[in-house]
């Protein structure tokens, strides 16, 4: 939303409608369709051509960037829209890696698509089971419960013996791909599969925002009574957000396992979860596009910042601090100010 | 006899040792405006909340459209065809006025049990815009709800309730913080709702607003019913005047 003008005089007379004394500034100006279309075309063209100009190492970075993008797309509905401080991104990536990824490792010839779906379903099912308990609590309590869950997942992965691969984790060799018969680990095709997953998840999340479900979350994050006043069952609504997010994380985790070919219990720890939150906050918690851009930019940036040996953490921390202080609504806020648009909820 | 949309039967609400509402009974008939009057601390809000489900009655029974809802949570009650406004914060400020009204259309879909209704977003937006136009709020449709005046915000909340297709609308102190002309607009809005067959429960400590809008009025004092009657009866009742009508209409919040 572009910044609203100063509130119209608080005691404005209702008759003002007829007198056309309206708030001075329209809130949503439309971007000309041509401009919008050309931005989208340019962006998509850049994303498609990217791997053709990158070397092997940078291609891996590009793959990580897309995975991080998918993860924040799951965080936006959960944190930004339904307002739940659930720190489950890394834990449910692990769930995806240890369900879909593990099955790809154990079952020879299992197609990638099936593995990804299984990881997604694994995330959804465990998300439903854990969420049914977790979303009964809110705020700090939810944060504590979900962080604890993360350690439980790691412990199960480590102590799971033959089932999970134990401390050593497991390796995944290239699973077959049904569509086009690609090799998911061969150069640019890895990237394009990641891009396809990104587009699917992005389209889903963008569609989601314009449903009654997302508007119910918005009401819920303002006030639970307001949500109930329009017939929203708060518990159920929170649980749905939880399950949607955990299935997206499950998908991302499975794909992560395939891309890196190696899963260990400590891969999906506290640090990974924190970087996801950094992306989300810098991007703008309520904006899928803003958060996604932040994930892309910061994944790449952190790689270059790493070359400031010894002071990389300071540079990274300072960047964040500036981002949070200067851009209060993140990248999304800046985009909205420039284009004078706002995100639509209907 | 007309159908009853709301019946409270011996509703008592206790908070620990404090009896906020004491054995209150009343009914609202279809298509009428019912006022709930009382000075601050009389138990208006608590009684109102025991109807909406925000507060559970310690004793007694609440019926909506003939069904016992005493033990139902707030959202289930609202799904039976009731909508409400709030004293404060009844809109999503980041949403446009139009999107807030769409929230009401979502509510209607939940009342009707038709979860997929709001998938057709173009149709939903048109419907919401038409409701705003009908209520003379069309010009505000595309403004952010937090940026418009408080009187208009209150009217948009009513529009949201109308969009829900509610048969009973509960107005929680709608006059708070409004200028006299805004109250006048609100009063007329309420009367228009009743003309369309919608029942309204309005609570306020502004006696002019309540007595001007409502046909029947329940006057509360210290948690119990002082009297129930037509607006005129209540206006001229000695006990009511003694209890609070004699004071200025501004109230003392």
């Amino acid at each position: 939303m572009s910044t609203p003008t100063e509130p119209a005089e608080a005691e404005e007379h209702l008759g003002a409608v007829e007198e056309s004394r309206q708030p001075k500034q329209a809130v949503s100006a439309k971007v000309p369709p041509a401009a919008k279309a050309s931005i989208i075309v340019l962006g998509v063209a850049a994303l498609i051509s990217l791997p053709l100009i990158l070397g092997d190492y940078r291609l891996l970075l590009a793959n990580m960037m897309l995975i991080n993008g998918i993860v924040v797309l799951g965080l936006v509905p959960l944190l930004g829209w339904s307002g739940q401080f659930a720190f489950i991104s890394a834990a449910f990536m692990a769930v995806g890696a240890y369900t879909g990824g593990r099955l790809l490792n154990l079952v020879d010839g299992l197609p990638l698509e099936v593995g990804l779906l299984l990881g997604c379903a694994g995330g959804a099912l465990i998300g439903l089971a854990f969420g049914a308990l977790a979303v009964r609590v809110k705020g700090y309590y939810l944060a504590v419960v979900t962080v604890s869950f993360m350690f439980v997942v790691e412990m199960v992965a480590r102590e799971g013996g033959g089932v999970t691969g134990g401390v050593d984790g497991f390796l995944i060799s290239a699973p077959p791909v049904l569509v086009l018969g690609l090799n998911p680990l061969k150069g640019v095709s890895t990237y394009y599969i990641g891009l396809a997953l990104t587009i699917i998840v992005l389209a889903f999340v963008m569609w989601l925002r314009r449903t009654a479900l997302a508007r119910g979350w918005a009401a819920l994050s303002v006030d639970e009574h307001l949500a109930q006043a329009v017939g929203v069952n708060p518990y159920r609504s929170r649980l749905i957000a939880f399950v949607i997010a955990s299935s997206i994380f499950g998908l991302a985790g499975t794909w992560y396992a395939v891309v890196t070919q190696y899963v260990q219990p400590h891969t999906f720890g506290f640090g990974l979860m924190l970087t996801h939150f950094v992306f989300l906050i810098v991007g703008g918690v309520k904006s899928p596009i803003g958060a996604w851009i932040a994930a892309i930019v910061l994944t790449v940036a952190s790689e270059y910042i790493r070359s400031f040996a010894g002071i990389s953490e300071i540079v990274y921390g300072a960047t964040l601090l500036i981002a949070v202080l200067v851009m209060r609504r993140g990248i999304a806020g800046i985009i909205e100010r420039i284009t004078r648009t706002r995100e639509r909820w209907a | 006899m007309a159908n009853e949309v709301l019946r409270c039967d011996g509703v008592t609400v206790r908070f620990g040792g404090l009896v906020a509402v004491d054995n209150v009974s009343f009914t609202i008939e279809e298509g009428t405006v019912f006022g709930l009057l009382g000075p601050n601390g009389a138990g208006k809000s608590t009684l109102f909340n025991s109807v909406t489900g925000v507060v559970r009655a310690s004793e007694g029974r609440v019926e909506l459209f003939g069904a016992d809802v005493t033990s139902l949570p707030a959202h289930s009650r609202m799904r039976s065809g009731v909508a409400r406004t709030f004293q404060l914060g009844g809109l999503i400020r980041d949403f446009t006025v139009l999107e807030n009204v769409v929230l009401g259309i979502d509510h209607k879909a939940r009342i009707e049990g038709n979860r997929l209704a709001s998938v057709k977003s173009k149709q939903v937006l048109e419907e919401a815009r038409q409701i705003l136009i009908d209520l003379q709020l069309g010009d505000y449709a595309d403004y952010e709800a937090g940026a418009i005046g408080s009187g208009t915000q209150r009217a948009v909340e009513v529009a949201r309730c109308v969009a829900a297709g509610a048969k009973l609308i509960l107005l929680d102190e709608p006059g708070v913080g409004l200028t006299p002309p805004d109250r006048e607009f609100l009063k007329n809005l309420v009367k228009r709702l009743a003309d369309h067959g919608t029942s309204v429960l309005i609570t306020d400590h502004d006696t002019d607003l309540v007595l001007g809008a409502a046909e029947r009025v329940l006057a509360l004092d210290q948690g119990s019913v002082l009297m129930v009657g037509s607006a005129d009866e209540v206006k001229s009742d000695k006990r009511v005047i003694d209890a609070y009508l004699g004071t200025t209409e501004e109230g003392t919040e």
Side-chain angles (χ1 to χ4, degrees):
Chain A
M1 294 130 271
S2 66
T3 39
T5 47
E6 300 146 25
E9 300 98 300
E11 299 296 310
E12 192 180 5
H13 184 322
L14 270 170
V17 186
E18 284 83 29
E19 296 161 25
S20 70
R21 261 178 54 213
Q22 294 165 11
K24 284 164 216 127
Q25 201 181 348
V27 182
S28 44
K30 283 200 180 108
V31 177
K36 205 173 179 179
S38 50
I39 290 170
I40 291 173
V41 167
L42 278 176
V44 170
L47 283 171
I48 289 176
S49 55
L50 189 62
L52 306 176
I53 54 171
L54 294 179
D56 273 354
Y57 171 69
R58 285 183 180 162
L59 204 51
L60 179 65
L61 182 63
N63 289 327
M64 286 302 135
M65 153 189 120
L66 290 178
I67 290 169
N68 286 337
I70 294 172
V71 173
V72 292
L73 288 176
L75 281 175
V76 167
L78 183 63
L79 263 101
W81 298 347
S82 84
Q84 302 187 85
F85 285 90
F87 298 114
I88 58 168
S89 55
F92 276 89
M93 281 182 78
V95 169
Y98 275 92
T99 52
R102 182 64 171 157
L103 284 167
L104 286 172
N105 155 250
L106 291 175
V107 183
D108 254 353
L110 188 70
L112 176 71
E113 289 91 337
V114 177
L116 289 171
L117 280 177
L118 287 171
C120 192
L125 282 176
I126 296 182
L128 183 66
F130 172 59
L133 299 170
V135 303
R136 289 179 190 278
V137 294
K138 282 169 258 174
Y140 304 124
Y141 302 102
L142 181 62
V144 170
V145 168
T146 49
V147 168
S148 315
F149 179 74
M150 187 166 70
F151 293 120
V152 171
V153 169
E154 193 178 332
M155 202 192 72
V156 169
R158 206 174 46 232
E159 307 297 331
V163 180
T164 63
V167 188
D168 297 332
F170 57 87
L171 292 164
I172 297 179
S173 49
V177 179
L178 297 176
V179 177
L180 302 174
L182 298 168
N183 180 339
L185 296 177
K186 202 150 190 192
V188 293
S189 57
T190 319
Y191 176 87
Y192 286 128
I193 294 171
L195 191 59
L197 293 177
T198 301
I199 290 168
I200 293 167
V201 175
L202 182 64
F204 171 70
V205 173
M206 298 292 276
W207 168 81
L208 196 60
R209 189 183 55 211
R210 294 174 69 172
T211 61
L213 187 61
R215 289 188 290 270
W217 290 332
L220 204 54
S221 66
V222 170
D223 180 15
E224 189 161 326
H225 293 314
L226 176 59
Q228 289 188 302
V230 292
V232 172
N233 179 340
Y235 172 73
R236 197 185 144 120
S237 180
R238 287 200 179 96
L239 183 56
I240 293 173
F242 202 93
V243 171
I244 287 174
S246 48
S247 24
I248 293 175
F249 302 147
L251 177 75
T254 312
W255 179 233
Y256 181 98
V258 174
V259 170
T260 57
Q261 294 178 266
Y262 183 34
V263 173
Q264 273 185 304
H266 68 255
T267 309
F268 307 99
F270 204 81
L272 183 66
M273 187 270 289
L274 277 186
T275 58
H276 295 153
F277 277 83
V278 169
F279 300 150
L280 182 72
I281 289 163
V282 172
V285 291
K286 292 188 180 184
S287 164
I289 297 284
W292 186 80
I293 291 175
I296 300 306
V297 171
L298 289 181
T299 308
V300 176
S302 64
E303 202 54 35
Y304 285 97
I305 288 172
R306 221 189 257 180
S307 54
F308 293 91
I311 60 162
S312 62
E313 280 84 2
I314 300 175
V315 174
Y316 200 59
T319 315
L320 284 183
L321 208 57
I322 292 168
V324 172
L325 291 175
V326 178
M327 325 185 291
R328 273 204 39 228
R329 288 189 35 254
I331 292 172
I334 294 177
I335 295 174
E336 285 168 11
R337 229 170 295 154
I338 293 172
T339 58
R340 304 241 318 101
T341 53
R342 59 183 293 285
E343 307 226 356
R344 291 176 56 189
W345 291 85
Chain B
M1 198 178 92
N3 288 330
E4 286 170 7
V5 290
L6 171 67
R7 167 185 280 272
C8 282
D9 228 350
V11 170
T12 300
V13 182
R14 287 191 205 91
F15 298 115
L18 176 80
V19 183
V21 173
D22 189 9
N23 194 23
V24 173
S25 302
F26 68 95
T27 59
I28 302 181
E29 284 170 9
E30 198 176 342
T32 63
V33 180
F34 190 93
L36 203 55
L37 196 59
N40 289 320
K44 285 193 309 291
S45 287
T46 309
L47 181 57
F48 186 90
N49 286 337
S50 70
V51 172
T52 60
V54 172
V55 167
R56 298 281 174 91
S58 318
E59 276 168 42
R61 204 176 139 87
V62 181
E63 279 179 21
L64 286 168
F65 313 108
D68 184 2
V69 299
T70 319
S71 57
L72 290 184
H75 64 266
S76 308
R77 296 188 191 195
M78 296 300 155
R79 283 182 187 182
S80 70
V82 188
R84 64 165 295 187
T85 66
F86 290 82
Q87 287 182 39
L88 274 176
L91 294 176
I92 301 179
R93 297 173 65 89
D94 290 349
F95 275 26
T96 61
V97 166
L98 189 69
E99 286 163 354
N100 270 287
V101 176
V102 170
L103 216 52
I105 293 176
D106 295 340
H107 186 185
K108 183 167 77 176
R110 292 187 188 103
I111 290 172
E112 292 169 352
N114 180 8
R115 298 195 161 273
L116 296 178
S118 63
V119 171
K120 300 167 201 135
S121 88
K122 206 166 221 163
Q123 203 175 315
V124 165
L125 284 170
E126 273 167 28
E127 194 180 337
R129 199 175 286 276
Q130 192 54 50
I131 286 164
L132 283 169
I133 290 168
D134 290 347
L135 297 175
Q136 297 168 16
L137 294 164
D139 291 349
Y140 290 104
D142 296 317
Y143 290 93
E144 235 167 68
I148 60 175
S150 55
T152 321
Q153 289 188 11
R154 216 54 59 80
V156 171
E157 275 194 76
V158 175
R160 189 194 66 218
C161 297
V162 170
K167 286 172 280 178
L168 171 63
I169 296 180
L170 312 171
L171 304 175
D172 189 3
E173 310 224 1
V176 169
L178 299 195
T179 57
D182 279 357
R183 287 179 207 207
E184 202 54 39
F185 182 91
L186 204 65
K187 205 189 314 188
N188 292 330
L189 192 57
V190 169
K191 283 181 171 166
R192 264 168 47 213
L193 291 177
D195 290 343
H196 284 88
T198 310
S199 320
V200 180
L201 171 66
I202 179 169
T203 133
D204 213 291
H205 50 234
D206 175 356
T207 50
D208 277 356
L209 177 60
V210 173
L211 293 174
E215 293 142 71
R216 284 181 70 74
V217 175
L218 183 151
L220 270 178
D221 190 33
Q222 297 180 1
S224 9
V225 180
L226 203 56
M227 75 168 295
V228 188
S230 72
D232 287 335
E233 284 164 12
V234 170
K235 218 179 287 183
S236 53
D237 189 89
K238 178 94 172 50
R239 290 166 300 172
V240 176
I241 294 169
D242 285 349
Y244 45 84
L245 261 186
T247 59
T248 57
E249 66 178 61
E250 263 68 43
T252 46
E253 199 148 4

